[in-house]
Amino acid sequence: MSTVFDLGFGVTERELALEALPVRGRLPDWLRGTLVRNGPGAFRVGAQQYRHWFDGLAMLHKFSFGDGRVSYANKFLETRSYAAAQANGRISYSEFATDPCRSLFGRVMAVFSPRITDSAKVNVARIADRYLALAETPIQVEFDLETLKTVGVFSYEAGPVGQMTTVHPHVDFADDTVYNLVTRYQARSHYRFYAVAGGGRPRRVAQMPVAEPAYLHSFGLSRNYFILAEFPLVVNPLHLLLWLRPYIENFKWKPERGAPFHLLDRRTGAPAGRFEADPYFAFHHINAFERGDELIVDLCAYPDAGIVQSYYLNRLSDARGELPWGRLRRYRLPLKGRRGRAVFETVADVCLELPRFDYERFNMDGRYRYVYAVSVRPDQRQGFYNQLVKVDIETGRALTWHENDCYPGEAVFVGAPGRTAEDDGVILSVVLDAARGTSFLLVLDAQSFAERARAEIPHAVLFGYHGEYFRRS
Ligand code: CO
């Protein structure tokens, strides 16, 4: 009997392409588009095991909707890391928390050219009309939406060494421009913001020097500002350039630094404020907006960076383990005077991670009210994320969906066309059913959180991270 761990952190044996999955319930007629999910397709290569949830070889999963039906395909991203793993039967490139075995010679060579993974497995996005699989490493991999075949690579800056980026670029729909943050590690390091508009050439629009860069998985964007919430999980850039340890293990928790918010002016790139906050950690910004003299920043926050340790596979394999709970925090930054303290309130007393909202309509807009996320049941805290939540920011109340032995992935909101209510739409989530040993695509009514349909997938989908729904144009 397979355990949840074996199923969710194992190896995907088959690449499938199925015209229609069996559907229970009814898919909305208006659902006509494609959900692409990204995540690891293998946590093992030969006899070698990766060490962390954020390691592994990228696999795309595609669900295309139309006429009340849904097709499914899954495919490994055809990268050098994948090819080398196939050819050598062992882990050959450095991941988030795993380095390939290195000889002494290999260690010396790593100084000059660490083989950093190109297995872009964390998110997907359409940038300048190209579909990209996104990684924190510099190489973003372009794929064909129809076939899921790999077609090329994209990078913000030239050269693979000494830069990291986020897998959460922002889009400003007003000027159809995509923004992302690149951390450039040098003796004198920088945080750099890039804009990518129609032509597809990245343009640097702001930068800030930094002595010890923080591990930043996302950033905030408001009408006027780039927002850097600088958590005190920081690295001496030389340690990273020398690649002394696997990537994330070069970072140290230094709570004495606090967690300042830095604002950069989107138009001029100039520094526009610094606001102190007590130390905390987050992977995910949710939304940010300006209201009167305040900047409001919503994030999914933890008291410290212990969550990074909690995602090591040796910890996750312990079924009695409990994940630290992320919580929805709302920070308020007093914009007047450009300096001061940021204070926060906790919006709801539920666990949340992988937060989503109606980004298309409400990015940078303070009128938004609902956040959708994976969560841990308060009455069943052991193990992995085992429910979905919908948090109402106005009331602090939450709706939940859960089923025994079921482990849902990221809750992607898809709005109904012509909607007037913010939550008129559906939630799409790939759920691992540990009792059956397979996964299904769950379709929830976003308003009531009641199930509308589920489509059975004939194998287990490993625990992944992020995905995106692309409307058919
Ligand atoms: Co993320």
Side-chain angles (χ1 to χ4, degrees):
M1 165 98 185
S2 297
T3 65
V4 181
F5 179 82
D6 296 334
L7 291 164
F9 297 100
V11 173
T12 312
E13 302 290 350
R14 290 181 300 164
E15 296 184 322
L16 302 173
L18 303 170
E19 295 225 335
L21 295 178
V23 174
R24 212 164 85 193
R26 202 178 143 82
L27 296 167
D29 294 332
W30 54 261
L31 198 60
R32 294 176 165 277
T34 300
L35 172 72
V36 181
R37 298 213 45 82
N38 204 347
F43 282 98
R44 279 194 314 275
V45 177
Q48 290 181 311
Q49 177 100 40
Y50 286 104
R51 300 176 65 225
H52 195 276
W53 185 26
F54 298 169
D55 294 335
L57 297 169
M59 172 169 271
L60 297 173
H61 299 262
K62 179 179 98 149
F63 302 86
S64 287
F65 302 89
D67 304 321
R69 287 149 55 100
V70 55
S71 68
Y72 169 75
N74 67 306
K75 196 165 177 39
F76 278 105
L77 214 55
E78 295 140 357
T79 58
R80 287 177 301 161
S81 340
Y82 179 67
Q86 292 293 101
N88 310 331
R90 56 187 170 79
I91 296 168
S92 305
Y93 282 72
S94 292
E95 295 278 343
F96 184 81
T98 302
D99 273 350
C101 297
R102 289 190 294 204
S103 63
L104 186 60
F105 178 69
R107 193 185 303 273
V108 173
M109 287 304 288
V111 174
F112 304 102
S113 160
R115 302 231 290 174
I116 300 169
T117 187
D118 57 347
S119 200
K121 63 181 167 293
V122 197
N123 201 353
V124 293
R126 182 163 49 197
I127 296 178
D129 290 325
R130 297 199 279 181
Y131 293 94
L132 297 178
L134 304 182
E136 294 184 342
T137 52
I139 302 151
Q140 319 291 306
V141 178
E142 185 181 356
F143 63 92
D144 182 290
L145 187 64
E146 287 308 311
T147 62
L148 298 184
K149 279 187 189 296
T150 303
V151 295
V153 297
F154 169 92
S155 189
Y156 290 96
E157 294 196 7
V161 182
Q163 51 162 321
M164 287 286 167
T165 185
T166 91
V167 296
H168 295 286
H170 276 288
V171 189
D172 190 337
F173 296 105
D175 56 5
D176 212 13
T177 300
V178 174
Y179 296 94
N180 207 349
L181 165 67
V182 171
T183 303
R184 185 83 202 188
Y185 301 101
Q186 287 161 318
R188 202 171 133 77
S189 301
H190 286 88
Y191 297 126
R192 290 173 172 169
F193 286 94
Y194 281 86
V196 185
R201 271 180 76 93
R203 185 167 49 90
R204 194 194 299 168
V205 288
Q207 74 167 346
M208 185 184 127
V210 53
E212 289 189 305
Y215 171 69
L216 300 175
H217 180 80
S218 63
F219 65 98
L221 185 78
S222 70
R223 295 260 175 250
N224 292 297
Y225 305 107
F226 296 117
I227 304 154
L228 272 171
E230 196 182 34
F231 320 115
L233 184 62
V234 297
V235 68
N236 175 336
L238 294 177
H239 292 181
L240 207 57
L241 291 169
L242 293 169
W243 210 267
L244 297 178
R245 284 173 283 276
Y247 171 64
I248 194 61
E249 294 176 6
N250 293 290
F251 289 79
K252 298 280 171 279
W253 181 247
K254 296 188 175 175
E256 65 279 7
R257 293 169 55 109
F261 287 89
H262 304 280
L263 306 189
L264 296 169
D265 188 299
R266 278 179 57 185
R267 264 169 297 273
T268 64
R274 178 188 166 116
F275 301 88
E276 307 301 327
D278 291 333
Y280 71 100
F281 178 76
F283 292 111
H284 295 114
H285 281 255
I286 304 172
N287 202 357
F289 51 90
E290 294 152 41
R291 182 187 274 167
D293 290 336
E294 280 185 329
L295 175 68
I296 313 287
V297 182
D298 291 346
L299 335 99
C300 174
Y302 299 85
D304 56 46
I307 186 69
V308 177
Q309 267 67 49
S310 300
Y311 289 153
Y312 276 90
L313 299 186
N314 62 359
R315 299 264 301 262
L316 291 170
S317 66
D318 177 1
R320 294 157 308 169
E322 293 185 17
L323 291 172
W325 285 20
R327 282 193 168 80
L328 205 174
R329 281 190 193 176
R330 171 159 286 188
Y331 278 87
R332 294 171 188 280
L333 284 55
L335 286 172
K336 263 191 182 163
R338 308 185 1 155
R339 282 190 172 263
R341 277 200 74 77
V343 293
F344 76 89
E345 58 188 305
T346 303
V347 174
D349 190 32
V350 290
C351 165
L352 82 173
E353 193 37 273
L354 308 176
R356 302 285 301 227
F357 66 102
D358 185 354
Y359 188 90
E360 206 179 351
R361 290 255 171 115
F362 290 100
N363 184 32
M364 305 186 283
D365 186 336
R367 289 171 298 180
Y368 95 115
R369 187 167 162 185
Y370 301 113
V371 175
Y372 312 95
V374 300
S375 176
V376 172
R377 292 168 64 168
D379 60 342
Q380 211 170 296
R381 293 171 182 247
Q382 296 179 325
F384 208 56
Y385 297 107
N386 55 8
Q387 72 173 358
L388 296 174
V389 291
K390 171 191 183 183
V391 175
D392 182 338
I393 293 171
E394 216 166 279
T395 64
R397 283 201 292 266
L399 293 179
T400 61
W401 178 93
H402 55 77
E403 208 169 278
N404 284 340
D405 297 317
C406 284
Y407 298 85
E410 186 189 35
V412 176
F413 173 80
V414 183
R419 63 193 177 280
T420 49
E422 177 182 337
D423 52 357
D424 181 6
V426 293
I427 296 297
L428 303 178
S429 170
V430 174
V431 182
L432 178 64
D433 182 341
R436 294 175 61 142
T438 54
S439 297
F440 59 89
L441 178 73
L442 176 68
V443 183
L444 294 182
D445 181 296
Q447 232 147 34
S448 65
F449 243 42
E451 178 172 338
R452 288 186 70 154
R454 68 175 67 182
E456 301 286 351
I457 306 163
H459 59 191
V461 175
L462 307 190
F463 290 127
Y465 324 108
H466 301 293
E468 202 55 75
Y469 180 82
F470 303 106
R471 281 172 207 289
R472 202 155 296 152
S473 42

